[in-house]
Amino acid sequence: MGAEAQQHPLSDERTGIEAYGGSEQRQIVLKVEHLRKKIGRKWIVQDVTFEVREGEVFGFLGPNGAGKTTTIRMLVDLIRPTEGKVMICGYDVRKQPEQALAYVGSIVENPEVYPYLTGWENLQHFGRMLPGVDERRIAEVVEIVGLDQRIHDKVKTYSLGMRQRLGIAQALLGRPRLLILDEPTNGLDPKGIKELRIFIRRLAEEGLAVFVSSHLLSEIQLMCDRVAIISRGRVLAVGSVEELISENSNYIIWELTPRERGVELLKAEGIAVIPDPDQVLDDTILAGMSEQAVVAQMLPDDVQAVLARLVAEGIQVHAVQKINPTLEQLFLELTEGESIE
C-alpha cells in the first residue's frame, strides 16, 4: 500500500521523508480524533484519540478485545468508522482515501509475499502497482532493509525475520511518511526481535513516522518514543513511556526500624502502604529488599517531609529508594489486570 509521496526541499532522497531539526518542529503525520466503530449493537471502538509525528515510533497496546485491530483497519481504510476522523498528512482517510493512503505503507497481519518468487521479483510485482517505482527504487529499499545478500533467493528459503524485512521493503516502495506495522515481532526469536527493533529505530531517525502494534510490552518500552494504551475500545493513556511511568504509581521503598511503628506513622500521614509488594514490584527489586522494607505509594515530593517526621518520632531510616513501575505493571494497572494479546 502507498504511492509516491510529494517531494519536499529537505526530503531524504531514499525515503522521501521531510527532515526536521527538533521534536517541537515535527509535523503531525497521523491524527486520530474520537474514532468509534459499532458492529451490530456492540461498540468495538468507543473513543480513540492520538497523534503520531514524523520521526517517532508510536506503540499501540491493548488486551484481547480492546479494539486494537479494528482501529488499525480503520486507519488504512479497510473498514469505515461509525464516527470520528482519521487524518494522514492533512487528508481525511474517509473523504480523501487516495490522497491520504498515498503517504502510508503498512503491514496488517502477515506480509503478503509469494514464496516461489525471489525477494526481488516480489518487489517488482508490487512496484508495478505504484507510480514512480523503478529498479532503482527497489534497489534502495533492499539496501534500507538489509536484504542485499539474499534478495535474489526464493522467498520460501527466507527466515521469518527476513520475510518481515521483505514486507517492510514492500511497504517502503512508495516512499511513505507513515509506516503501520501490526505485531511485527510475532514469531521472531530474540535475535530477530532485537534486529527488527534496531531497524525500526533507524527508520524513525531518518524521519519516518512508525506506528507499531505489539503485545510485547518490554519491546515497546525499548522501541517506542510514545505509546497509547487501549482497553475496552477506549484509549486510557497516551504519552512517552517515561512520562506515563513517572506520572502513575510512584513507589517508595523505606527501610525502617522498628518496621511496625514506621508503617503506623506512614498510614497516619495518609500514605498508602502496599501490603503485597510482589503485586507491584519486579522480582529483581523484591530480591534486594530486607525484612525492614516497607513499600509505599506516594509522591516523591513528599518524601523529605515524611522522612523528617519519621526521624522526629525516633524511627531509624536506613534507606529510601524511589521505584517506577515498568510499562507492564502500568499496563496491568490501567487495564485492571486484563490479559494482553
Side-chain angles (χ1 to χ4, degrees):
M1 181 179 299
E4 185 174 12
Q6 294 176 207
Q7 295 298 301
H8 302 271
L10 300 179
S11 292
D12 179 278
E13 289 185 358
R14 293 198 309 162
T15 60
I17 300 163
E18 195 170 353
Y20 285 84
S23 60
E24 70 281 354
Q25 296 175 296
R26 291 178 179 174
Q27 294 184 348
I28 296 170
V29 176
L30 170 64
K31 186 171 186 178
V32 179
E33 296 180 322
H34 303 294
L35 205 61
R36 306 182 77 200
K37 180 63 180 179
K38 188 176 186 180
I39 298 178
R41 297 183 178 180
K42 184 177 181 181
W43 285 99
I44 306 299
V45 174
Q46 298 190 58
D47 189 7
V48 171
T49 298
F50 60 83
E51 296 174 350
V52 182
R53 295 179 179 270
E54 60 187 357
E56 75 171 347
V57 182
F58 188 92
F60 199 50
L61 299 173
N64 288 320
K68 185 159 53 103
T69 299
T70 302
T71 299
I72 292 171
R73 289 180 173 276
M74 287 189 281
L75 298 185
V76 296
D77 201 37
L78 290 177
I79 58 175
R80 289 295 182 94
T82 306
E83 296 177 16
K85 185 184 294 186
V86 177
M87 302 289 292
I88 297 174
C89 293
Y91 293 102
D92 189 321
V93 169
R94 189 168 186 174
K95 296 178 181 177
Q96 304 159 295
E98 289 187 11
Q99 294 95 322
L101 296 178
Y103 290 99
V104 180
S106 66
I107 302 177
V108 181
E109 298 174 352
N110 296 318
E112 296 293 334
V113 292
Y114 297 98
Y116 291 96
L117 296 179
T118 67
W120 185 273
E121 289 167 342
N122 267 276
L123 294 177
Q124 283 181 318
H125 172 74
F126 290 108
R128 293 187 192 105
M129 306 177 193
L130 302 171
V133 175
D134 54 16
E135 299 283 300
R136 180 183 173 187
R137 179 56 185 169
I138 294 173
E140 286 173 349
V141 297
V142 168
E143 181 186 351
I144 290 170
V145 301
L147 279 178
D148 313 57
Q149 302 301 314
R150 297 289 306 279
I151 195 62
H152 294 293
D153 295 345
K154 291 191 182 297
V155 172
K156 65 180 180 179
T157 67
Y158 285 12
S159 67
L160 185 57
M162 292 171 64
R163 289 188 183 213
Q164 283 284 23
R165 283 175 177 259
L166 182 62
I168 293 173
Q170 174 191 328
L172 293 175
L173 280 172
R175 299 177 178 84
R177 295 185 60 189
L178 171 65
L179 180 63
I180 297 176
L181 302 176
D182 187 12
E183 299 282 0
T185 57
N186 264 0
L188 297 183
D189 59 21
K191 182 174 182 290
I193 291 173
K194 182 178 180 180
E195 289 175 350
L196 185 65
R197 181 177 72 235
I198 294 170
F199 170 63
I200 288 173
R201 286 280 358 144
R202 183 161 61 84
L203 289 177
E205 287 167 5
E206 292 181 356
L208 192 66
V210 185
F211 177 95
V212 180
S213 157
S214 178
H215 68 282
L216 296 177
L217 296 172
S218 60
E219 279 306 309
I220 287 292
Q221 190 158 358
L222 290 170
M223 183 191 303
C224 297
D225 302 297
R226 293 191 305 126
V227 63
I229 296 176
I230 180 174
S231 178
R232 299 186 179 95
R234 297 180 184 274
V235 168
L236 303 181
V238 180
S240 74
V241 174
E242 290 183 1
E243 288 172 350
L244 292 178
I245 287 174
S246 64
E247 291 173 2
N248 291 272
S249 302
N250 289 302
Y251 299 107
I252 306 294
I253 301 177
W254 299 86
E255 302 276 353
L256 305 175
T257 304
R259 184 183 185 280
E260 292 73 17
R261 282 190 58 210
V263 169
E264 289 176 5
L265 191 144
L266 289 173
K267 289 181 176 179
E269 293 290 316
I271 294 169
V273 174
I274 307 300
D276 196 3
D278 62 357
Q279 297 295 314
V280 297
L281 299 180
D282 288 338
D283 292 342
T284 52
I285 297 172
L286 293 168
M289 288 169 47
S290 71
E291 294 182 357
Q292 282 73 43
V294 178
V295 179
Q297 189 172 359
M298 58 186 294
L299 295 174
D301 292 345
D302 295 337
V303 168
Q304 187 134 5
V306 173
L307 175 61
R309 176 82 172 128
L310 288 165
V311 172
E313 292 294 323
I315 296 170
Q316 296 181 44
V317 180
H318 304 289
V320 183
Q321 182 181 8
K322 178 177 176 287
I323 301 292
N324 284 330
T326 62
L327 183 59
E328 182 172 5
Q329 292 160 347
L330 173 62
F331 180 94
L332 293 173
E333 182 177 318
L334 289 174
T335 60
E336 299 176 351
E338 288 185 73
S339 62
I340 57 177
E341 296 180 357

